[in-house]
Amino acid sequence: MASIELPDPEPELESDETSSVERAIADRESRRSFASRPLALTDVSQLLWAAQGITHTRDGIAMRATPSAGTTYPLTAFLEVARDGNEELAPGCYRYEPAAHRLERTLEGSVHEALTRAALGQDVVRNAPTTVVLTGAYDRTRRQYPDRGERYVHMEAGHAAENVHLLCESRELNCCPVGAFSAGDVADVLGLPDRLEALYLLPVGHRTGDR
């Protein structure tokens, strides 16, 4: 499958391009309407970096943008692109590779209608040009924390999702958390390996005048 190099993440943008963390927290809300135009690759780059990107190295370990119990990092982020319009990202599904900060295309052609059905037909998924899908490998964390591993994976998915929300608010993008879906159906649609379970859907798009 093809690889897509992403623009370098920008932890510090100019003040007229972003807002403070405090402002983003104050303004954040679930926004369920989206303009039809696709996200730019720079927006995609920032979103995925905020979810799972590498921020620094400590004791030889590449640390990601979200905390992880025992640095087990069980999450894998996928990007579903719904429609044509972005010359750099054709419709399909892509896996984010944090170490290289790039996308690996895993599925060619739109799976948008199937993903919408897996999300119980919700319009917020149907109308979004892009959906970030957070998946988790429970065994990665259970090996270190047999009794609490599943809980820690769910906490980590929440950390990553909140980063995406705040990044969207900062960049004036709309985002809404979606937890109502069939994990098995999402796995089938995206062709996930058995070790990964779908945990969270985050439809994202440009703003319209509506919420």
CSV table of all heavy atoms in Angstrom, one decimal, residues 62-125:
chain,number,residue,atom,x,y,z
A,62,ALA,N,10.4,6.7,22.5
A,62,ALA,CA,9.6,7.8,21.8
A,62,ALA,C,8.3,8.0,22.5
A,62,ALA,O,7.4,7.1,22.5
A,62,ALA,CB,9.4,7.4,20.4
A,63,MET,N,8.2,9.2,23.2
A,63,MET,CA,7.0,9.5,23.9
A,63,MET,C,5.9,10.1,23.0
A,63,MET,O,6.3,11.0,22.2
A,63,MET,CB,7.3,10.4,25.1
A,63,MET,CG,8.5,9.9,26.0
A,63,MET,SD,8.1,8.3,26.8
A,63,MET,CE,7.0,8.8,28.1
A,64,ARG,N,4.7,9.7,23.2
A,64,ARG,CA,3.6,10.3,22.3
A,64,ARG,C,2.9,11.4,23.0
A,64,ARG,O,3.1,11.7,24.2
A,64,ARG,CB,2.6,9.1,22.0
A,64,ARG,CG,3.3,8.0,21.2
A,64,ARG,CD,2.3,7.0,20.7
A,64,ARG,NE,3.0,5.8,20.1
A,64,ARG,CZ,2.4,4.8,19.6
A,64,ARG,NH1,1.1,4.8,19.6
A,64,ARG,NH2,3.1,3.8,19.1
A,65,ALA,N,2.0,12.0,22.3
A,65,ALA,CA,1.2,13.2,22.7
A,65,ALA,C,0.2,12.9,23.8
A,65,ALA,O,-0.2,13.9,24.4
A,65,ALA,CB,0.5,13.9,21.5
A,66,THR,N,-0.1,11.7,24.0
A,66,THR,CA,-1.0,11.3,25.1
A,66,THR,C,-0.4,10.4,26.1
A,66,THR,O,0.5,9.5,25.7
A,66,THR,CB,-2.3,10.6,24.5
A,66,THR,OG1,-1.9,9.5,23.7
A,66,THR,CG2,-3.1,11.6,23.7
A,67,PRO,N,-0.7,10.5,27.4
A,67,PRO,CA,-0.2,9.6,28.4
A,67,PRO,C,-0.6,8.1,28.1
A,67,PRO,O,-1.7,7.9,27.7
A,67,PRO,CB,-0.7,10.1,29.7
A,67,PRO,CG,-1.9,10.9,29.3
A,67,PRO,CD,-1.7,11.4,28.0
A,68,SER,N,0.3,7.2,28.5
A,68,SER,CA,0.0,5.8,28.3
A,68,SER,C,0.5,5.0,29.5
A,68,SER,O,1.7,5.2,29.9
A,68,SER,CB,0.7,5.3,27.0
A,68,SER,OG,0.5,3.9,26.8
A,69,ALA,N,-0.3,4.2,30.1
A,69,ALA,CA,0.1,3.4,31.3
A,69,ALA,C,1.4,2.6,30.9
A,69,ALA,O,1.3,1.7,30.0
A,69,ALA,CB,-1.0,2.5,31.7
A,70,GLY,N,2.4,2.8,31.6
A,70,GLY,CA,3.7,2.0,31.4
A,70,GLY,C,4.3,2.2,30.0
A,70,GLY,O,5.0,1.3,29.6
A,71,THR,N,3.9,3.3,29.4
A,71,THR,CA,4.4,3.5,28.0
A,71,THR,C,4.1,2.3,27.1
A,71,THR,O,5.0,2.0,26.2
A,71,THR,CB,5.8,4.0,27.9
A,71,THR,OG1,6.7,3.0,28.4
A,71,THR,CG2,6.0,5.3,28.7
A,72,THR,N,3.0,1.7,27.3
A,72,THR,CA,2.7,0.5,26.4
A,72,THR,C,2.1,0.9,25.1
A,72,THR,O,2.1,0.1,24.1
A,72,THR,CB,1.7,-0.4,27.2
A,72,THR,OG1,0.5,0.3,27.6
A,72,THR,CG2,2.3,-1.1,28.4
A,73,TYR,N,1.5,2.1,25.0
A,73,TYR,CA,1.0,2.6,23.7
A,73,TYR,C,0.2,1.6,22.9
A,73,TYR,O,0.6,1.1,21.8
A,73,TYR,CB,2.2,3.2,22.9
A,73,TYR,CG,2.8,4.4,23.5
A,73,TYR,CD1,4.2,4.4,23.8
A,73,TYR,CD2,2.0,5.5,23.9
A,73,TYR,CE1,4.8,5.5,24.5
A,73,TYR,CE2,2.6,6.6,24.5
A,73,TYR,CZ,4.0,6.6,24.8
A,73,TYR,OH,4.6,7.6,25.4
A,74,PRO,N,-1.0,1.2,23.4
A,74,PRO,CA,-1.8,0.2,22.7
A,74,PRO,C,-2.6,0.8,21.5
A,74,PRO,O,-3.2,0.0,20.8
A,74,PRO,CB,-2.7,-0.3,23.8
A,74,PRO,CG,-2.9,1.0,24.7
A,74,PRO,CD,-1.6,1.7,24.7
A,75,LEU,N,-2.7,2.1,21.4
A,75,LEU,CA,-3.6,2.7,20.4
A,75,LEU,C,-3.0,2.7,19.0
A,75,LEU,O,-1.8,3.0,18.9
A,75,LEU,CB,-4.0,4.1,20.8
A,75,LEU,CG,-4.7,4.3,22.1
A,75,LEU,CD1,-5.2,5.7,22.3
A,75,LEU,CD2,-5.9,3.3,22.3
A,76,THR,N,-3.8,2.5,18.0
A,76,THR,CA,-3.5,2.8,16.6
A,76,THR,C,-4.6,3.7,16.0
A,76,THR,O,-5.8,3.3,16.2
A,76,THR,CB,-3.4,1.5,15.8
A,76,THR,OG1,-2.4,0.7,16.4
A,76,THR,CG2,-3.1,1.8,14.4
A,77,ALA,N,-4.2,4.8,15.4
A,77,ALA,CA,-5.2,5.7,14.8
A,77,ALA,C,-5.3,5.4,13.3
A,77,ALA,O,-4.3,5.3,12.6
A,77,ALA,CB,-4.8,7.1,15.1
A,78,PHE,N,-6.5,5.4,12.8
A,78,PHE,CA,-6.8,5.3,11.4
A,78,PHE,C,-7.6,6.5,11.0
A,78,PHE,O,-8.3,7.2,11.7
A,78,PHE,CB,-7.7,4.0,11.1
A,78,PHE,CG,-7.0,2.8,11.3
A,78,PHE,CD1,-6.8,2.2,12.6
A,78,PHE,CD2,-6.4,2.1,10.2
A,78,PHE,CE1,-6.2,1.0,12.7
A,78,PHE,CE2,-5.7,0.9,10.4
A,78,PHE,CZ,-5.6,0.3,11.7
A,79,LEU,N,-7.4,6.9,9.7
A,79,LEU,CA,-8.1,8.0,9.1
A,79,LEU,C,-9.0,7.5,8.0
A,79,LEU,O,-8.5,6.9,7.0
A,79,LEU,CB,-7.1,9.0,8.6
A,79,LEU,CG,-7.7,10.3,8.0
A,79,LEU,CD1,-8.1,11.2,9.2
A,79,LEU,CD2,-6.7,11.0,7.1
A,80,GLU,N,-10.3,7.7,8.1
A,80,GLU,CA,-11.2,7.3,7.0
A,80,GLU,C,-11.5,8.6,6.2
A,80,GLU,O,-11.9,9.6,6.8
A,80,GLU,CB,-12.5,6.7,7.5
A,80,GLU,CG,-13.5,6.3,6.5
A,80,GLU,CD,-14.6,7.3,6.2
A,80,GLU,OE1,-14.8,8.2,7.1
A,80,GLU,OE2,-15.1,7.3,5.1
A,81,VAL,N,-11.3,8.6,4.9
A,81,VAL,CA,-11.5,9.7,4.0
A,81,VAL,C,-12.7,9.4,3.2
A,81,VAL,O,-12.7,8.4,2.5
A,81,VAL,CB,-10.3,10.0,3.1
A,81,VAL,CG1,-10.6,11.2,2.2
A,81,VAL,CG2,-9.1,10.4,4.0
A,82,ALA,N,-13.8,10.2,3.3
A,82,ALA,CA,-15.1,9.9,2.7
A,82,ALA,C,-15.2,10.1,1.2
A,82,ALA,O,-15.8,9.3,0.5
A,82,ALA,CB,-16.2,10.7,3.4
A,83,ARG,N,-14.6,11.2,0.7
A,83,ARG,CA,-14.9,11.6,-0.6
A,83,ARG,C,-13.8,12.2,-1.3
A,83,ARG,O,-12.8,12.6,-0.7
A,83,ARG,CB,-16.1,12.6,-0.6
A,83,ARG,CG,-16.0,13.8,0.2
A,83,ARG,CD,-17.2,14.7,0.2
A,83,ARG,NE,-18.3,14.0,1.0
A,83,ARG,CZ,-18.5,14.3,2.2
A,83,ARG,NH1,-17.8,15.3,2.9
A,83,ARG,NH2,-19.5,13.7,2.9
A,84,ASP,N,-13.9,12.4,-2.7
A,84,ASP,CA,-12.9,13.0,-3.5
A,84,ASP,C,-12.9,14.5,-3.2
A,84,ASP,O,-13.8,15.1,-2.6
A,84,ASP,CB,-13.2,12.8,-5.0
A,84,ASP,CG,-12.9,11.4,-5.4
A,84,ASP,OD1,-11.8,10.9,-5.1
A,84,ASP,OD2,-13.7,10.8,-6.1
A,85,GLY,N,-11.8,15.2,-3.6
A,85,GLY,CA,-11.7,16.6,-3.4
A,85,GLY,C,-10.3,17.0,-2.9
A,85,GLY,O,-9.9,18.1,-3.1
A,86,ASN,N,-9.6,16.1,-2.3
A,86,ASN,CA,-8.3,16.3,-1.8
A,86,ASN,C,-7.3,15.5,-2.6
A,86,ASN,O,-7.3,14.3,-2.6
A,86,ASN,CB,-8.1,15.9,-0.3
A,86,ASN,CG,-6.8,16.4,0.3
A,86,ASN,OD1,-5.8,16.4,-0.4
A,86,ASN,ND2,-6.8,16.6,1.6
A,87,GLU,N,-6.5,16.2,-3.4
A,87,GLU,CA,-5.6,15.6,-4.3
A,87,GLU,C,-4.5,14.7,-3.6
A,87,GLU,O,-4.0,13.8,-4.1
A,87,GLU,CB,-4.9,16.6,-5.2
A,87,GLU,CG,-5.8,17.3,-6.2
A,87,GLU,CD,-5.0,18.3,-7.0
A,87,GLU,OE1,-3.8,18.4,-6.9
A,87,GLU,OE2,-5.7,19.0,-7.9
A,88,GLU,N,-4.3,15.0,-2.3
A,88,GLU,CA,-3.3,14.3,-1.5
A,88,GLU,C,-3.8,13.1,-0.8
A,88,GLU,O,-3.1,12.2,-0.4
A,88,GLU,CB,-2.6,15.3,-0.5
A,88,GLU,CG,-1.9,16.5,-1.2
A,88,GLU,CD,-1.8,17.6,-0.2
A,88,GLU,OE1,-2.8,18.1,0.4
A,88,GLU,OE2,-0.6,18.1,-0.1
A,89,LEU,N,-5.1,13.1,-0.6
A,89,LEU,CA,-5.7,12.0,0.1
A,89,LEU,C,-7.0,11.5,-0.6
A,89,LEU,O,-8.0,12.1,-0.5
A,89,LEU,CB,-6.1,12.4,1.6
A,89,LEU,CG,-5.0,12.6,2.6
A,89,LEU,CD1,-5.6,13.1,3.9
A,89,LEU,CD2,-4.4,11.2,2.9
A,90,ALA,N,-6.8,10.4,-1.3
A,90,ALA,CA,-8.0,9.8,-2.0
A,90,ALA,C,-8.9,9.1,-1.0
A,90,ALA,O,-8.5,8.8,0.1
A,90,ALA,CB,-7.5,8.8,-3.1
A,91,PRO,N,-10.2,8.9,-1.4
A,91,PRO,CA,-11.1,8.2,-0.5
A,91,PRO,C,-10.5,6.8,-0.1
A,91,PRO,O,-9.9,6.1,-0.9
A,91,PRO,CB,-12.3,8.1,-1.3
A,91,PRO,CG,-12.3,9.3,-2.2
A,91,PRO,CD,-10.8,9.4,-2.6
A,92,GLY,N,-10.7,6.4,1.1
A,92,GLY,CA,-10.3,5.1,1.6
A,92,GLY,C,-9.9,5.2,3.1
A,92,GLY,O,-10.4,6.1,3.8
A,93,CYS,N,-9.0,4.3,3.5
A,93,CYS,CA,-8.6,4.3,4.9
A,93,CYS,C,-7.1,4.3,5.0
A,93,CYS,O,-6.4,3.6,4.2
A,93,CYS,CB,-9.2,3.0,5.5
A,93,CYS,SG,-8.9,2.9,7.3
A,94,TYR,N,-6.6,4.9,6.0
A,94,TYR,CA,-5.2,5.1,6.2
A,94,TYR,C,-4.8,4.8,7.7
A,94,TYR,O,-5.6,5.2,8.6
A,94,TYR,CB,-4.7,6.5,5.8
A,94,TYR,CG,-5.0,6.9,4.4
A,94,TYR,CD1,-6.3,7.4,4.1
A,94,TYR,CD2,-4.1,6.9,3.4
A,94,TYR,CE1,-6.6,7.8,2.8
A,94,TYR,CE2,-4.4,7.3,2.1
A,94,TYR,CZ,-5.6,7.7,1.8
A,94,TYR,OH,-5.9,8.1,0.5
A,95,ARG,N,-3.7,4.2,7.9
A,95,ARG,CA,-3.2,3.9,9.2
A,95,ARG,C,-2.1,5.0,9.5
A,95,ARG,O,-1.2,5.2,8.7
A,95,ARG,CB,-2.6,2.5,9.3
A,95,ARG,CG,-2.1,2.2,10.8
A,95,ARG,CD,-1.6,0.8,10.8
A,95,ARG,NE,-0.4,0.6,10.0
A,95,ARG,CZ,-0.3,-0.1,8.8
A,95,ARG,NH1,-1.4,-0.7,8.4
A,95,ARG,NH2,0.8,-0.1,8.1
A,96,TYR,N,-2.2,5.6,10.7
A,96,TYR,CA,-1.2,6.6,11.1
A,96,TYR,C,0.0,5.9,11.7
A,96,TYR,O,-0.2,5.0,12.6
A,96,TYR,CB,-1.7,7.6,12.1
A,96,TYR,CG,-0.7,8.6,12.6
A,96,TYR,CD1,0.0,9.4,11.7
A,96,TYR,CD2,-0.5,8.7,13.9
A,96,TYR,CE1,0.9,10.3,12.2
A,96,TYR,CE2,0.4,9.7,14.4
A,96,TYR,CZ,1.1,10.5,13.5
A,96,TYR,OH,2.0,11.4,14.0
A,97,GLU,N,1.2,6.2,11.2
A,97,GLU,CA,2.5,5.6,11.8
A,97,GLU,C,3.2,6.7,12.6
A,97,GLU,O,3.8,7.6,12.0
A,97,GLU,CB,3.4,5.1,10.6
A,97,GLU,CG,2.7,3.9,9.8
A,97,GLU,CD,2.6,2.7,10.6
A,97,GLU,OE1,3.2,2.6,11.7
A,97,GLU,OE2,1.9,1.7,10.2
A,98,PRO,N,3.1,6.7,13.9
A,98,PRO,CA,3.7,7.8,14.7
A,98,PRO,C,5.2,7.9,14.5
A,98,PRO,O,5.7,9.1,14.4
A,98,PRO,CB,3.4,7.4,16.1
A,98,PRO,CG,2.2,6.4,16.0
A,98,PRO,CD,2.4,5.7,14.7
A,99,ALA,N,6.0,6.9,14.5
A,99,ALA,CA,7.4,7.0,14.4
A,99,ALA,C,7.9,7.7,13.2
A,99,ALA,O,8.8,8.5,13.2
A,99,ALA,CB,8.1,5.6,14.5
A,100,ALA,N,7.2,7.5,12.1
A,100,ALA,CA,7.6,8.1,10.8
A,100,ALA,C,6.7,9.3,10.5
A,100,ALA,O,7.0,10.1,9.6
A,100,ALA,CB,7.5,7.1,9.6
A,101,HIS,N,5.7,9.6,11.3
A,101,HIS,CA,4.7,10.6,11.1
A,101,HIS,C,4.3,10.6,9.6
A,101,HIS,O,4.5,11.5,8.8
A,101,HIS,CB,5.3,12.0,11.4
A,101,HIS,CG,4.2,13.1,11.4
A,101,HIS,ND1,3.1,13.1,12.2
A,101,HIS,CD2,4.1,14.2,10.6
A,101,HIS,CE1,2.4,14.1,11.9
A,101,HIS,NE2,3.0,14.8,11.0
A,102,ARG,N,3.6,9.5,9.3
A,102,ARG,CA,3.1,9.4,7.9
A,102,ARG,C,1.9,8.5,7.9
A,102,ARG,O,1.5,7.8,8.9
A,102,ARG,CB,4.2,8.8,7.0
A,102,ARG,CG,4.5,7.3,7.2
A,102,ARG,CD,5.6,6.8,6.4
A,102,ARG,NE,5.9,5.4,6.7
A,102,ARG,CZ,7.1,4.9,6.3
A,102,ARG,NH1,8.0,5.6,5.7
A,102,ARG,NH2,7.3,3.6,6.6
A,103,LEU,N,1.2,8.5,6.8
A,103,LEU,CA,0.0,7.6,6.6
A,103,LEU,C,0.3,6.5,5.7
A,103,LEU,O,1.0,6.7,4.7
A,103,LEU,CB,-1.2,8.4,6.0
A,103,LEU,CG,-1.8,9.5,6.9
A,103,LEU,CD1,-2.8,10.3,6.1
A,103,LEU,CD2,-2.4,8.9,8.1
A,104,GLU,N,-0.1,5.3,6.1
A,104,GLU,CA,0.0,4.1,5.2
A,104,GLU,C,-1.5,3.8,4.8
A,104,GLU,O,-2.3,3.5,5.6
A,104,GLU,CB,0.5,2.9,6.0
A,104,GLU,CG,2.0,3.1,6.4
A,104,GLU,CD,3.0,3.0,5.3
A,104,GLU,OE1,2.6,2.6,4.2
A,104,GLU,OE2,4.1,3.4,5.5
A,105,ARG,N,-1.6,3.8,3.5
A,105,ARG,CA,-3.0,3.5,2.9
A,105,ARG,C,-3.3,2.0,3.1
A,105,ARG,O,-2.5,1.1,2.7
A,105,ARG,CB,-3.1,3.9,1.5
A,105,ARG,CG,-4.5,3.8,0.9
A,105,ARG,CD,-4.6,4.5,-0.4
A,105,ARG,NE,-5.9,4.5,-0.9
A,105,ARG,CZ,-6.3,5.1,-2.0
A,105,ARG,NH1,-5.4,5.7,-2.8
A,105,ARG,NH2,-7.6,5.1,-2.4
A,106,THR,N,-4.4,1.7,3.8
A,106,THR,CA,-4.8,0.3,4.0
A,106,THR,C,-5.9,-0.1,3.2
A,106,THR,O,-6.1,-1.3,2.9
A,106,THR,CB,-5.1,0.1,5.5
A,106,THR,OG1,-6.2,1.0,5.9
A,106,THR,CG2,-3.9,0.4,6.4
A,107,LEU,N,-6.8,0.8,2.7
A,107,LEU,CA,-7.9,0.5,1.9
A,107,LEU,C,-8.1,1.5,0.8
A,107,LEU,O,-8.0,2.7,1.1
A,107,LEU,CB,-9.2,0.4,2.7
A,107,LEU,CG,-9.4,-0.7,3.7
A,107,LEU,CD1,-10.7,-0.5,4.5
A,107,LEU,CD2,-9.4,-2.1,3.0
A,108,GLU,N,-8.2,1.1,-0.4
A,108,GLU,CA,-8.5,2.0,-1.6
A,108,GLU,C,-10.0,2.0,-1.8
A,108,GLU,O,-10.7,1.0,-1.8
A,108,GLU,CB,-7.7,1.5,-2.8
A,108,GLU,CG,-6.2,1.6,-2.7
A,108,GLU,CD,-5.5,1.2,-4.0
A,108,GLU,OE1,-6.2,1.1,-5.0
A,108,GLU,OE2,-4.3,1.0,-4.0
A,109,GLY,N,-10.5,3.2,-2.1
A,109,GLY,CA,-11.9,3.4,-2.4
A,109,GLY,C,-12.7,3.7,-1.2
A,109,GLY,O,-12.3,3.3,0.0
A,110,SER,N,-13.8,4.4,-1.3
A,110,SER,CA,-14.6,4.9,-0.2
A,110,SER,C,-15.2,3.7,0.6
A,110,SER,O,-15.8,2.8,-0.1
A,110,SER,CB,-15.6,5.9,-0.6
A,110,SER,OG,-16.4,6.3,0.5
A,111,VAL,N,-15.1,3.7,1.9
A,111,VAL,CA,-15.9,2.8,2.7
A,111,VAL,C,-16.9,3.6,3.6
A,111,VAL,O,-17.3,3.1,4.6
A,111,VAL,CB,-14.9,1.9,3.6
A,111,VAL,CG1,-14.1,1.0,2.7
A,111,VAL,CG2,-14.1,2.8,4.5
A,112,HIS,N,-17.2,4.8,3.1
A,112,HIS,CA,-17.9,5.7,4.0
A,112,HIS,C,-19.3,5.2,4.3
A,112,HIS,O,-19.7,5.3,5.5
A,112,HIS,CB,-18.0,7.1,3.3
A,112,HIS,CG,-18.5,8.2,4.2
A,112,HIS,ND1,-17.8,8.5,5.4
A,112,HIS,CD2,-19.6,8.9,4.2
A,112,HIS,CE1,-18.5,9.5,6.0
A,112,HIS,NE2,-19.6,9.8,5.3
A,113,GLU,N,-20.0,4.7,3.4
A,113,GLU,CA,-21.4,4.3,3.7
A,113,GLU,C,-21.4,3.1,4.6
A,113,GLU,O,-22.2,3.0,5.5
A,113,GLU,CB,-22.1,3.9,2.4
A,113,GLU,CG,-22.6,5.2,1.6
A,113,GLU,CD,-23.4,6.1,2.4
A,113,GLU,OE1,-24.3,5.6,3.1
A,113,GLU,OE2,-23.2,7.3,2.4
A,114,ALA,N,-20.4,2.2,4.4
A,114,ALA,CA,-20.3,1.0,5.3
A,114,ALA,C,-19.9,1.5,6.7
A,114,ALA,O,-20.5,0.9,7.7
A,114,ALA,CB,-19.3,0.0,4.7
A,115,LEU,N,-19.1,2.4,6.8
A,115,LEU,CA,-18.7,2.9,8.2
A,115,LEU,C,-19.9,3.6,8.8
A,115,LEU,O,-20.1,3.4,10.0
A,115,LEU,CB,-17.5,3.9,8.1
A,115,LEU,CG,-17.0,4.5,9.4
A,115,LEU,CD1,-16.5,3.3,10.3
A,115,LEU,CD2,-16.0,5.5,9.2
A,116,THR,N,-20.7,4.3,8.0
A,116,THR,CA,-21.9,5.0,8.6
A,116,THR,C,-22.9,3.9,9.1
A,116,THR,O,-23.4,4.1,10.2
A,116,THR,CB,-22.6,5.8,7.5
A,116,THR,OG1,-21.7,6.9,7.1
A,116,THR,CG2,-23.8,6.5,8.0
A,117,ARG,N,-23.0,2.9,8.3
A,117,ARG,CA,-23.9,1.8,8.8
A,117,ARG,C,-23.4,1.2,10.1
A,117,ARG,O,-24.2,0.8,11.0
A,117,ARG,CB,-24.1,0.7,7.7
A,117,ARG,CG,-24.9,1.2,6.5
A,117,ARG,CD,-25.3,0.0,5.6
A,117,ARG,NE,-24.2,-0.7,5.0
A,117,ARG,CZ,-23.6,-0.3,3.9
A,117,ARG,NH1,-24.1,0.7,3.2
A,117,ARG,NH2,-22.6,-0.9,3.4
A,118,ALA,N,-22.1,1.0,10.2
A,118,ALA,CA,-21.5,0.4,11.4
A,118,ALA,C,-21.7,1.3,12.6
A,118,ALA,O,-21.7,0.9,13.7
A,118,ALA,CB,-20.0,0.2,11.2
A,119,ALA,N,-21.8,2.6,12.3
A,119,ALA,CA,-22.1,3.6,13.4
A,119,ALA,C,-23.6,3.9,13.5
A,119,ALA,O,-24.0,5.0,13.9
A,119,ALA,CB,-21.4,4.9,13.0
A,120,LEU,N,-24.4,2.9,13.2
A,120,LEU,CA,-25.8,2.9,13.4
A,120,LEU,C,-26.5,3.9,12.6
A,120,LEU,O,-27.6,4.5,13.0
A,120,LEU,CB,-26.2,3.0,14.9
A,120,LEU,CG,-25.4,2.1,15.9
A,120,LEU,CD1,-25.8,2.4,17.3
A,120,LEU,CD2,-25.5,0.7,15.5
A,121,GLY,N,-26.0,4.3,11.4
A,121,GLY,CA,-26.6,5.2,10.5
A,121,GLY,C,-26.6,6.7,11.0
A,121,GLY,O,-27.4,7.5,10.5
A,122,GLN,N,-25.7,7.0,11.9
A,122,GLN,CA,-25.7,8.4,12.4
A,122,GLN,C,-25.3,9.4,11.4
A,122,GLN,O,-24.3,9.2,10.7
A,122,GLN,CB,-24.8,8.5,13.6
A,122,GLN,CG,-25.3,7.6,14.8
A,122,GLN,CD,-24.3,7.7,16.0
A,122,GLN,OE1,-24.3,8.7,16.7
A,122,GLN,NE2,-23.5,6.7,16.1
A,123,ASP,N,-26.1,10.5,11.3
A,123,ASP,CA,-25.8,11.6,10.3
A,123,ASP,C,-24.4,12.2,10.6
A,123,ASP,O,-23.7,12.7,9.7
A,123,ASP,CB,-26.9,12.6,10.3
A,123,ASP,CG,-28.1,12.2,9.7
A,123,ASP,OD1,-28.1,11.2,8.9
A,123,ASP,OD2,-29.2,12.8,9.9
A,124,VAL,N,-24.0,12.3,11.9
A,124,VAL,CA,-22.7,12.9,12.2
A,124,VAL,C,-21.6,12.2,11.5
A,124,VAL,O,-20.6,12.8,11.1
A,124,VAL,CB,-22.5,13.0,13.7
A,124,VAL,CG1,-22.3,11.7,14.3
A,124,VAL,CG2,-21.4,14.0,14.0
A,125,VAL,N,-21.7,10.9,11.3
A,125,VAL,CA,-20.6,10.2,10.6
A,125,VAL,C,-20.9,10.3,9.1
A,125,VAL,O,-19.9,10.5,8.3
A,125,VAL,CB,-20.6,8.7,11.0
A,125,VAL,CG1,-19.6,7.9,10.2
A,125,VAL,CG2,-20.3,8.6,12.5
